[in-house]
Amino acid sequence: MPSNPSRARARDRGNLLGRPEFLSLNQPLRTGNTEGRGTGRRGGHTKSQQSQPWEYQPEPTDTAKERKDSAKLPEEDCMLLNPSFRGIAINSLLAIDICLSKRLGVCAYTSSSWGSVRSMITLLALTGHAITWIFGTLLCLTRSNTQAGQEVLINLLLALVLDVMTVAGVQKLVKRKGPWEMSPGFLDCMAMDLYSFPGAHASRAAMVSKFLLSHLVLAVPLRILLVLWAFLVGLSRVVLGRHHLTDMACGFALGLLHFSLVETVWLSSSACQTIISIGTLSWSPFS
């Protein structure tokens, strides 16, 4: 016997409402405080957060962020933010050095206050150039006929080469610019005098003057003039705006150090004669 169609439709509707996605429709409405329902929802949300902790992470507070940033800061930044007394003193001395060096650069350009005597100061600085002394020493060596004179000249040439190489190496390492940011000239490029620290002319003048005072017999006026020449050569580079005052002072100290080193490794007369024979291509080791 065929079933009643209305009962079949009600049975089908009941089966549909019994499916999982329609269970909430069959539940009766709950009467209660809305805050409870909000709390329940928040509680369920918290459970879902606990079940999946990777989906939500609380943002750190500003204090925690500052602590992490300060922990990541390098030591240099921390020192800059909180400088020591030593750092303040060094920076102050460097600032004074730059200020005084710029004020003393009265011949830096032809339009400077002492620009009219720039050519004379340049000529004075040229007397302390490495090229001038190396070629002058070689010329005197070709004219010398005594072994004592040749010994002194060979050791002087060794001191000049040592001075050029040491100063060029330190300048390349430090790379300090001059107070007026001038490009080096042709002779400066040949002598590898490209940077400001230490002063190459000051180092060479101090070394040469000390060398000549120690190995030449000179009258007192000449000795005074030699010391005055060394000081003026070092000062001329400051006046021309090429070096700072500290560059000149360190150059003088380095030149005296070079002299002491050459005196320690002084070449004997026989070693100097061997070098001369090799240089003139007249060395015969098997004779």
Side-chain angles (χ1 to χ4, degrees), residues 10 57 60 68 82 91 148 156 168 205 209 216 218 222 230 233 270 272:
Q57 293 181 356
K68 289 183 179 180
N82 189 16
N91 291 331
L156 177 59
S209 62
L216 294 181
L218 301 173
L222 291 178
V233 166
S270 60
C272 292

Side-chain angles (χ1 to χ4, degrees), residues 85-271:
F85 176 78
R86 180 181 177 183
I88 294 174
I90 292 176
N91 291 331
S92 301
L93 291 177
L94 288 176
I96 294 172
D97 177 37
I98 295 173
C99 181
L100 291 178
S101 301
K102 285 191 174 183
R103 289 194 176 186
L104 287 175
V106 292
C107 297
Y109 302 99
T110 54
S111 59
S112 302
S113 57
W114 287 19
S116 58
V117 296
R118 176 180 168 81
S119 58
M120 296 178 59
I121 301 298
T122 304
L123 183 62
L124 176 62
L126 187 61
T127 60
H129 204 279
I131 304 299
T132 305
W133 276 99
I134 289 176
F135 277 100
T137 304
L138 289 174
L139 181 61
C140 294
L141 188 60
T142 58
R143 300 295 181 88
S144 179
N145 296 323
T146 62
Q147 292 187 0
Q150 292 173 355
E151 179 183 352
V152 172
L153 290 172
I154 288 293
N155 284 277
L156 177 59
L157 185 62
L158 176 64
L160 290 171
V161 173
L162 175 66
D163 181 81
V164 170
M165 299 303 294
T166 306
V167 171
V170 176
Q171 285 186 356
K172 189 67 176 178
L173 183 64
V174 178
K175 293 183 179 181
R176 187 186 189 188
K177 299 290 186 179
W180 291 98
E181 294 290 339
M182 294 182 178
S183 58
F186 175 72
L187 292 178
D188 294 332
C189 293
M190 289 184 62
M192 296 180 289
D193 187 12
L194 304 178
Y195 295 99
S196 176
F197 182 88
H201 288 67
S203 174
R204 197 167 304 111
M207 187 270 297
V208 168
S209 62
K210 183 65 175 176
F211 190 94
L212 296 180
L213 289 174
S214 300
H215 297 284
L216 294 181
V217 180
L218 301 173
V220 175
L222 291 178
R223 297 173 74 88
I224 295 174
L225 286 176
L226 192 59
V227 174
L228 184 62
W229 166 82
F231 176 75
L232 291 178
V233 166
L235 186 62
S236 66
R237 299 289 287 180
V238 179
V239 174
L240 290 172
R242 297 283 184 174
H243 296 289
H244 301 85
L245 287 173
T246 52
D247 302 335
M248 181 184 68
C250 292
F252 285 146
L254 190 60
L256 296 178
L257 180 62
H258 289 158
F259 168 76
S260 301
L261 184 59
V262 170
E263 289 292 318
T264 304
V265 296
W266 183 268
L267 297 180
S268 62
S269 179
S270 60

Side-chain angles (χ1 to χ4, degrees), residues 73-88:
L73 285 175
E75 278 188 35
E76 292 80 3
D77 294 343
C78 296
M79 291 299 293
L80 291 175
L81 294 175
N82 189 16
S84 61
F85 176 78
R86 180 181 177 183
I88 294 174

